[in-house]
Amino acid sequence: KSFEEFVTKTVLIEAKKCEDMKFSKMNVHWRPYNALCNFCNVPFRVISKTESFDEDRSKIMEMLGVDEEKRSKRLHVHGGKQIQDKTKKFFNNITQEIKEELLELYNYEFAM
């Protein structure tokens, strides 16, 4: 399957089958975040991003009082420019109409 086929024949079709904002008929892996939990009711103490994971993780572990020796190394890390290049490649190959449908579906993620 191409990325465009996956988006149009799986993600967007599943989203259109949903009758409410819970998107319960969508696979959990591509269900919009706002359907997974109620952010406003979760008392977050830390918000981290993938791009700054190592730095954020160190600070979180320090907050928890975990020794440096107990910290594990991340394996198979993919991110930064490499993942951005792949994402651009995928999105360059889909139509503007599909991009707009995705933007509408994932509007809360894009707003964050």
Side-chain angles (χ1 to χ4, degrees):
K1 262 187 180 179
S2 72
F3 180 66
E4 183 174 7
E5 288 175 312
F6 168 70
V7 169
T8 58
K9 295 181 180 177
T10 303
V11 176
L12 294 175
I13 294 294
E14 286 183 16
K16 289 173 184 172
K17 289 180 182 177
C18 298
E19 298 164 3
D20 59 17
M21 292 296 289
K22 293 181 181 176
F23 297 101
S24 57
K25 294 180 179 166
M26 285 184 77
N27 183 299
V28 69
H29 294 98
W30 44 85
R31 189 178 300 165
Y33 284 151
N34 63 302
L36 297 174
C37 73
N38 188 346
F39 294 115
C40 298
N41 292 328
V42 178
F44 291 107
R45 294 192 55 202
V46 176
I47 297 176
S48 179
K49 297 187 333 183
T50 331
E51 296 86 355
S52 58
F53 179 80
D54 290 327
E55 181 182 342
D56 295 341
R57 182 174 176 268
S58 291
K59 289 179 184 175
I60 293 167
M61 299 300 266
E62 186 178 310
M63 288 171 57
L64 295 172
V66 176
D67 292 333
E68 186 73 34
E69 295 171 6
K70 294 182 182 178
R71 298 179 188 184
S72 61
K73 276 224 170 244
R74 290 176 60 201
L75 302 175
H76 307 291
V77 177
H78 303 284
K81 185 149 177 55
Q82 181 183 8
I83 198 73
Q84 288 173 354
D85 290 343
K86 287 181 181 184
T87 302
K88 285 178 187 176
K89 179 182 170 191
F90 286 136
F91 278 87
N92 281 337
N93 294 323
I94 62 174
T95 66
Q96 185 62 32
E97 182 182 345
I98 295 171
K99 290 176 189 175
E100 289 171 8
E101 287 186 64
L102 288 171
L103 183 58
E104 185 178 333
L105 176 60
Y106 297 105
N107 62 351
Y108 291 108
E109 282 84 351
F110 287 108
M112 290 197 274

